[in-house]
């Protein structure tokens, strides 16, 4: 697995849709369009992904007691963490992507495997990958973590909004059970929004790959800590 930068122009993203190769999902054996490549093409256009920390970072930095790191140290930690996540999650179906220039790490749990349709119960096959993510978050404590939940289009908007929130909360709770401080984490659901790719099924229906959760890891520098304390 290779970490990919996901800041790309809309033109490049559209072009990518037509050229991305298919891959075999290691969990299902199905041929699907590469989620890493599509994330690289479309992720940079999404406000939720490039926007600020859920709930604002000032109170969360203070509440989490994050110490922060000097810029050069934080940069090395970022590179080490994303490389180690790549290695640990190789072959799991989980995508690891770099957002911007060391702005954040995005861990995207696979569509259709992490959760069954209409469910917020984490699939058994995701425990091992989530254990690896949790271990990384514990090893590298100078970061805030946003957990985003999404759904497919089955069901009403209101139902899917609640379900997306429950999925994000389920993943956050699991990370907490593995030792990640809850003070570092926030969860938010986006319902049917941001279906980052639609694929045609055998019957020709355009189906969104959207039954997923994403974990955004935002590094916190010493300057961030100082600014939070000054407010």
């Amino acid at each position: 697995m290779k970490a990919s930068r996901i800041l790309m122009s809309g033109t490049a993203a559209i072009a990518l849709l037509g050229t991305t190769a298919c891959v075999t999902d290691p969990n299902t054996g199905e041929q699907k369009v590469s989620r890493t490549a599509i994330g690289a093409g479309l992720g940079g256009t999404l406000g939720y992904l490039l926007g600020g920390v859920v709930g604002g970072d000032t109170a969360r930095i203070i509440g989490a007691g994050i110490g922060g790191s000097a810029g050069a140290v934080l940069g090395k930690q970022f590179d080490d963490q994303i490389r180690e996540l790549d290695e640990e999650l190789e072959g799991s179906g989980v995508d690891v992507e770099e957002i911007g220039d060391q702005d954040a790490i995005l861990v995207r749990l696979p569509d259709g495997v992490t959760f069954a349709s209409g469910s917020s119960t984490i699939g058994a096959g995701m425990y091992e990958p989530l254990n690896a993510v949790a271990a990384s978050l514990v090893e590298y404590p100078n970061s805030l973590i946003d957990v985003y939940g999404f759904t497919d289009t089955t069901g009403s908007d209101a139902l899917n909004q609640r379900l997306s929130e429950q999925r994000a909360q389920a993943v956050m709770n699991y990370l907490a059970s593995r030792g990640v401080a809850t003070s570092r984490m926030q969860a938010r659901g986006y319902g049917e929004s941001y279906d980052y790719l639609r694929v045609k099924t055998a019957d020709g229906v355009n189906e969104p790959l959207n039954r997923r959760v994403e974990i955004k890891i935002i590094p916190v520098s010493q300057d961030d800590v100082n600014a939070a304390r000054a407010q």
Side-chain angles (χ1 to χ4, degrees), residues 74-122:
L74 192 67
K76 183 181 185 307
Q77 290 175 346
F78 184 102
D79 287 341
D80 289 345
Q81 185 174 20
I82 198 168
R83 173 180 51 78
E84 291 166 10
L85 281 168
D86 273 336
E87 294 171 355
E88 289 292 327
L89 297 172
E90 179 75 36
S92 69
V94 177
D95 293 334
V96 181
E97 301 169 5
E98 179 177 351
I99 300 174
D101 185 9
Q102 296 191 333
D103 294 326
I105 298 170
L106 185 73
V107 178
R108 178 180 286 127
L109 306 183
D111 166 85
V113 178
T114 307
F115 302 99
S117 182
S119 173
S120 61
T121 300
I122 299 171

Side-chain angles (χ1 to χ4, degrees), residues 167-180:
R167 286 174 173 170
Q169 189 68 44
V171 170
M172 192 180 89
N173 289 346
Y174 187 80
L175 294 175
S177 76
R178 302 294 299 185
V180 183

Side-chain angles (χ1 to χ4, degrees), residues 149-217:
F150 305 86
T151 71
D152 57 27
T153 54
T154 304
S156 69
D157 290 348
L159 184 151
N160 285 333
Q161 179 59 39
R162 287 195 300 274
L163 181 58
S164 68
E165 293 167 0
Q166 291 164 353
R167 286 174 173 170
Q169 189 68 44
V171 170
M172 192 180 89
N173 289 346
Y174 187 80
L175 294 175
S177 76
R178 302 294 299 185
V180 183
T182 56
S183 56
R184 295 170 60 194
M185 298 189 286
Q186 287 282 355
R188 176 172 289 178
Y190 287 95
E192 302 173 12
S193 303
Y194 301 116
D195 54 324
Y196 65 102
L197 175 65
R198 288 177 178 268
V199 295
K200 283 194 174 181
T201 58
D203 57 5
V205 176
N206 284 319
E207 179 180 328
L209 295 179
N210 212 40
R211 200 160 66 237
R212 71 190 198 278
V213 161
E214 297 179 350
I215 302 166
K216 181 180 174 184
I217 306 166

